[in-house]
Amino acid sequence: MFTYKRPILQLAVLIALGSLSAACSDSPSGLTAPSFTTAVAGSNFVVLANAGVTCTDGTIIGDVGTFSVTGAITRTNCPIAGTLHAGDSVATQAFNDFLNTYAALAPQPGDVCTMLTGTLAGVILAPGVYCFNAAATVTGVLTLDGPADGIWILKIGTSGTGALTGTGFSVVMAGGGQASNVTWRVADAVTMTTSNIQGNILAGAGITLTGGSLHGNVSAKADVTITGTAVSK
């Protein structure tokens, strides 16, 4: 049985700080799930950026926010079914929660993680914690197969640097697995093109989505740019 102990300690600290939802449960892999279905308890964020969100020819279902009070949320033919928060108290709290969670999921000495290589095309992953030491370039179909309470944490750039880049990449949930229990923790930028992503993306730089869809949430330390992508919680 694959086990991973360190995140349980990290996430327990966050729970004590109130950064994560109080409703957490143990998964078969022994992990406690980060509650990323909302960026902050009681809110409905689906896109959260440092200073700017730009959406062109896409759709967003859920709240959109920026940490900066002068942040711009720019839309061109992009309906947003949610509330816009530019640097208000709700967005500030959500962004700080994102930063705390991002830090808690950072690689630590003594961590145990299953290392991944290649494009992930045709790969099937059971619940657990998986890592790319550096950048990851993905394509094809990745299947996450596990029960409804199964937890997947995928870390890109565990050496300290590394971007996530995908073209024609799709994530498929199987066996009852839930997108809300999938977390992508990326050291640098995320660039996904004509890809269908499941899960919650936490990026150390900007996020660019072009075409395809995202079922989950995105939070970035820089800007978020969405072009022709359907984004929903």
Side-chain angles (χ1 to χ4, degrees), residues 32-81:
T32 299
S35 180
F36 292 125
T37 52
T38 55
V40 65
S43 70
N44 191 40
F45 278 101
V46 67
V47 178
L48 191 61
N50 187 353
V53 176
T54 301
C55 181
T56 304
D57 297 327
T59 59
I60 299 175
I61 299 176
D63 290 358
V64 177
T66 64
F67 173 71
S68 173
V69 68
T70 59
I73 301 173
T74 305
R75 293 178 289 168
T76 303
N77 190 32
C78 177
I80 297 177

Side-chain angles (χ1 to χ4, degrees), residues 32-221:
T32 299
S35 180
F36 292 125
T37 52
T38 55
V40 65
S43 70
N44 191 40
F45 278 101
V46 67
V47 178
L48 191 61
N50 187 353
V53 176
T54 301
C55 181
T56 304
D57 297 327
T59 59
I60 299 175
I61 299 176
D63 290 358
V64 177
T66 64
F67 173 71
S68 173
V69 68
T70 59
I73 301 173
T74 305
R75 293 178 289 168
T76 303
N77 190 32
C78 177
I80 297 177
T83 303
L84 307 185
H85 299 269
D88 62 15
S89 60
V90 177
T92 298
Q93 181 63 58
F95 196 82
N96 285 332
D97 288 345
F98 152 59
L99 294 178
N100 288 336
T101 303
Y102 185 87
L105 292 176
Q108 300 290 336
D111 283 354
V112 178
C113 187
T114 298
M115 298 304 297
L116 298 175
T117 60
T119 66
L120 299 185
V123 172
I124 301 174
L125 298 179
V129 180
Y130 300 91
C131 297
F132 279 88
N133 187 51
T137 301
V138 294
T139 190
V141 178
L142 167 66
T143 301
L144 303 180
D145 188 359
D149 61 348
I151 308 301
W152 292 263
I153 299 176
L154 298 99
K155 300 184 181 185
I156 290 82
T158 54
S159 64
T161 61
L164 173 62
T165 304
T167 302
F169 178 61
S170 294
V171 177
V172 175
M173 306 303 301
Q178 302 295 310
S180 58
N181 289 336
V182 179
T183 301
W184 302 79
R185 197 264 186 196
V186 185
D188 294 316
V190 175
T191 304
M192 307 303 295
T193 305
T194 58
S195 297
N196 298 304
I197 311 302
Q198 305 257 14
N200 309 288
I201 300 175
L202 313 179
I207 296 175
T208 301
L209 307 176
T210 304
S213 64
L214 170 77
H215 182 52
N217 302 310
V218 293
S219 300
K221 289 188 177 182

